[in-house]
Amino acid sequence: MKATTSLALLGAVSGVSAFWRMECRGRVGVARIDPLVNPNEVAQHVHAIHGSSGFSESAKFDDLAGADCTSCAVTEDMSSYWAPVPYFKHANGSYELVEQVGGMLAYYFLFGDASNPNGGIKAFPEDFRMIAGDTLRRNFSIGGLGANIPDPEKSLWSMLGQTSQVDLAQRALGFNCLNYQKAPEGSLHRHYMPEKDYLDANCEDGVRIEIMFPSCWNGKDLDSKNHRSHVAYPDLVMNGDCPSGFDVKIPGLFYETIWATNAFAGREGEFVFSNGDIQGFGYHADFISGWKSDFLQEAVDTCTNPSGRIQDCPIFTIQDEDTQRKCGLKKMPSVLVNEKVVGSVGTSLPGGVQIQYGPEPATNPNPGPQTATVAVPTVGYSEGVKPTDTNYLPGQIFKETTSSAPESASVTSASAEESEAAITAQAVPSITAAPAAPAAVEDGYEIIRTDYITEGHVVKAVIVKEKVEYITVTTTTATLTSTAQPLKARHDRHVHRHQLRHARP
Ligand SMILES: *[C@@H]1O[C@H](CO)[C@@H](O)[C@H](O)[C@H]1NC(C)=O
Ligand SMILES: *[C@@H]1O[C@H](CO)[C@@H](O)[C@H](O)[C@H]1NC(C)=O
């Protein structure tokens, strides 16, 4: 007697089209400037700023697009990209900026809306703006669980009721522990900044901070009051179905920056983000599009080489790394010109931002608007590590050596864990084939068939295995003697069916 067990294993991501990686080797500034949250005034906290030199506390599209340089590789990209920075708080209370390694990568994922696969991707309109994340957030809670519980498989999020925008936004943050001697961690795998002891013990090449922006748009507003409500996440954060009312798919922006937290290994103290957040739950990022939208649309439509390399897009004009690094902010509020934000910055965070631990939301740490006037800046930049290879994995582009990362792990792996890692580590959306069935089956099981099912953008391989096991059969025999009717036998079969679901996108 056999009992049948279904085990759905990981399939491969499919229906996912192209992407490219905007490299921004230069950093145009590190400053308390934020034209979205604090227009025309000094911002609450420090940001690392990449992109157009026309960025300022009052920057609009014309300022960005009309500026003389960008710190990114493609000269047509005059956008601004900015996010908070981590400081190290020494045991004696003094703060020091953590060095940023290699600049920044801004991925442009061109994932369609799974529920409207032919809808296409619409370029950002000029001056389009948005924020990902919430600077005041100081906790992680999804389904009542904290950040120490690994995410359930993506295919279960919807069933578990974990696809609210608040939930998805928390899963859009990643703090990737870098150790180039080991297999890379998956993107968006850990949603909090590891503690100092963990970093010291495990992350000998620092931390890669990742943030995914919403990529579903309401199709009309360039911005909204909170800079968020005109956009929404698809139900798997990076891809999936757009919620109704947000039916226009825009490029999926994903920022990556690497920070040399390892430089403080063995030193007593803790890391703190410039917004007074220790755990990273309040990490966020901002964007203003400085692309000419017709040009960006052409890029979206034609730069579909699965390599993700901007060099493979014939319409892009690419400038070299030194030129990217030479680009700096054109103007800076005078009150900020002498503010110490890099290196050792004293015994408080710039702007007097206080550490607020949560779990309740941070109160606005800004003492209030300060008048900004414009003067000539003296903002330095941090030189990154030169890439020595053509290895274009997320984050790997900045690493110094080519030898270690086992990035070739196959997405057809039998192990769901490994496959997850491979997909996220590669983030190569060129995978369209269904996965091969895993060859190995545990003792006592036989594979009886493999089904491939497509759910939206995801192909899952459902491996149906049979466990060969003996079961109890109780036979009750009723003997009817009063008539000539035939004997009836009833068999009570005790069959245990185990539904093991391990489906992942
Ligand atoms: C605190 O310690 C750091 C690291 O040793 C040092 O660079 C800094 O000058 C010290 N600050 C003060 C105020 O003593
Ligand atoms: C967790 O953070 C959210 C968003 O800031 C907030 O609304 C909620 O009250 C916080 N939870 C607790 C227990 O403080």
Side-chain angles (χ1 to χ4, degrees):
M1 194 75 55
K2 289 174 173 182
T4 299
T5 303
S6 285
L7 180 62
L9 288 184
L10 169 63
V13 175
S14 79
V16 174
S17 46
F19 73 108
W20 72 78
R21 255 172 307 250
M22 183 59 59
E23 301 167 18
C24 303
R25 296 291 176 188
R27 185 166 75 178
V28 288
V30 179
R32 283 197 295 132
I33 303 178
D34 189 340
L36 290 194
V37 177
N38 303 102
N40 306 310
E41 63 188 42
V42 170
Q44 298 161 4
H45 52 260
V46 169
H47 300 105
I49 305 153
H50 301 266
S52 173
S53 65
F55 183 79
S56 73
E57 71 284 1
S58 59
K60 301 267 190 304
F61 176 79
D62 288 343
D63 304 303
L64 301 182
D68 58 358
C69 64
T70 170
S71 72
C72 300
V74 172
T75 59
E76 290 88 359
D77 181 11
M78 299 301 286
S79 303
S80 287
Y81 307 89
W82 69 103
V85 298
Y87 286 93
F88 183 65
K89 185 184 183 189
H90 290 280
N92 64 10
S94 79
Y95 290 88
E96 183 177 344
L97 184 67
V98 180
E99 282 291 314
Q100 188 175 350
V101 180
M104 169 188 178
L105 284 182
Y107 284 72
Y108 282 69
F109 288 116
L110 307 178
F111 298 156
D113 178 354
S115 55
N116 179 20
N118 299 319
I121 314 284
K122 186 148 175 14
F124 302 122
E126 287 160 20
D127 211 28
F128 180 86
R129 296 144 177 256
M130 61 179 164
I131 294 181
D134 174 4
T135 188
L136 299 181
R137 179 172 272 279
R138 291 293 181 275
N139 67 51
F140 180 99
S141 177
I142 297 181
L145 300 174
N148 285 328
I149 308 297
D151 293 348
E153 294 137 11
K154 285 187 176 178
S155 58
L156 302 176
W157 292 2
S158 162
M159 197 185 79
L160 295 169
Q162 299 182 353
T163 53
S164 74
Q165 289 297 309
V166 169
D167 289 352
L168 296 169
Q170 294 179 82
R171 291 197 172 132
L173 300 182
F175 299 84
N176 199 286
C177 172
L178 293 180
N179 182 337
Y180 297 139
Q181 304 310 311
K182 293 186 189 167
E185 287 195 322
S187 294
L188 304 182
H189 157 73
R190 180 188 298 99
H191 308 301
Y192 64 95
M193 179 76 163
E195 288 182 348
K196 180 74 170 46
D197 289 348
Y198 183 91
L199 291 168
D200 281 6
N202 299 287
C203 316
E204 61 182 50
D205 297 296
V207 167
R208 187 175 79 217
I209 302 180
E210 311 161 324
I211 183 164
M212 182 76 205
F213 280 76
S215 58
C216 306
W217 178 40
N218 72 10
K220 52 180 202 291
D221 298 315
L222 296 182
D223 197 355
S224 50
K225 198 154 181 289
N226 64 4
H227 316 289
R228 289 181 191 82
S229 54
H230 58 312
V231 288
Y233 286 100
D235 66 356
L236 300 178
V237 177
M238 294 180 91
N239 53 3
D241 296 342
C242 287
S244 71
F246 299 89
D247 305 314
V248 178
K249 203 73 182 34
I250 50 179
L253 276 181
F254 180 88
Y255 295 2
E256 275 185 3
T257 50
I258 293 178
W259 300 90
T261 50
N262 48 314
F264 299 93
R267 311 277 290 277
E268 222 184 299
E270 62 185 349
F271 294 100
V272 186
F273 287 98
S274 52
N275 61 342
D277 175 20
I278 295 223
Q279 291 165 297
F281 301 140
Y283 189 78
H284 57 281
D286 304 57
F287 174 70
I288 301 179
S289 181
W291 295 90
K292 298 219 166 59
S293 63
D294 289 350
F295 181 88
L296 182 60
Q297 189 66 56
E298 193 184 344
V300 163
D301 294 340
T302 60
C303 299
T304 52
N305 191 310
S307 73
R309 287 164 40 91
I310 47 177
Q311 290 81 358
D312 292 339
C313 177
I315 68 169
F316 286 158
T317 310
I318 298 193
Q319 59 180 359
D320 66 29
E321 292 183 13
D322 283 346
T323 312
Q324 295 170 46
R325 291 197 183 95
K326 282 186 187 120
C327 185
L329 290 183
K330 269 199 301 211
K331 55 181 191 170
M332 178 89 134
S334 61
V335 63
L336 294 184
V337 168
N338 294 318
E339 183 168 74
K340 193 91 177 89
V341 293
V342 299
S344 288
V345 300
T347 53
S348 78
L349 288 167
V353 172
Q354 302 293 309
I355 295 176
Q356 295 184 65
Y357 295 92
E360 59 285 344
T363 54
N364 191 333
N366 191 359
Q370 298 161 42
T371 313
T373 51
V374 164
V376 177
T378 51
V379 178
Y381 56 85
S382 171
E383 187 150 291
V385 178
K386 272 196 189 298
T388 56
D389 62 82
T390 52
N391 177 356
Y392 280 84
L393 287 175
Q396 302 295 309
I397 190 169
F398 294 138
K399 75 179 196 181
E400 280 177 84
T401 57
T402 59
S403 56
S404 54
E407 55 270 10
S408 57
S410 166
V411 294
T412 58
S413 162
S415 154
E417 296 306 323
E418 283 170 31
S419 294
E420 165 78 358
I423 287 170
T424 52
Q426 290 182 328
V428 174
S430 59
I431 303 152
T432 52
V441 190
E442 328 62 308
D443 272 1
Y445 282 86
E446 285 167 24
I447 289 182
I448 57 167
R449 65 171 200 278
T450 304
D451 296 332
Y452 295 104
I453 52 172
T454 306
E455 286 178 7
H457 57 291
V458 174
V459 176
K460 289 176 194 148
V462 179
I463 312 300
V464 181
K465 305 191 302 185
E466 275 190 351
K467 183 163 191 176
V468 183
E469 81 185 345
Y470 290 99
I471 61 171
T472 311
V473 176
T474 309
T475 302
T476 308
T477 303
T479 307
L480 303 175
T481 53
S482 61
T483 68
Q485 285 177 337
L487 296 179
K488 279 186 178 173
R490 196 177 86 232
H491 300 270
D492 293 327
R493 296 181 178 184
H494 299 270
V495 177
H496 298 280
R497 288 176 189 274
H498 301 282
Q499 287 285 326
L500 301 178
R501 297 218 148 258
H502 289 290
R504 290 189 193 215

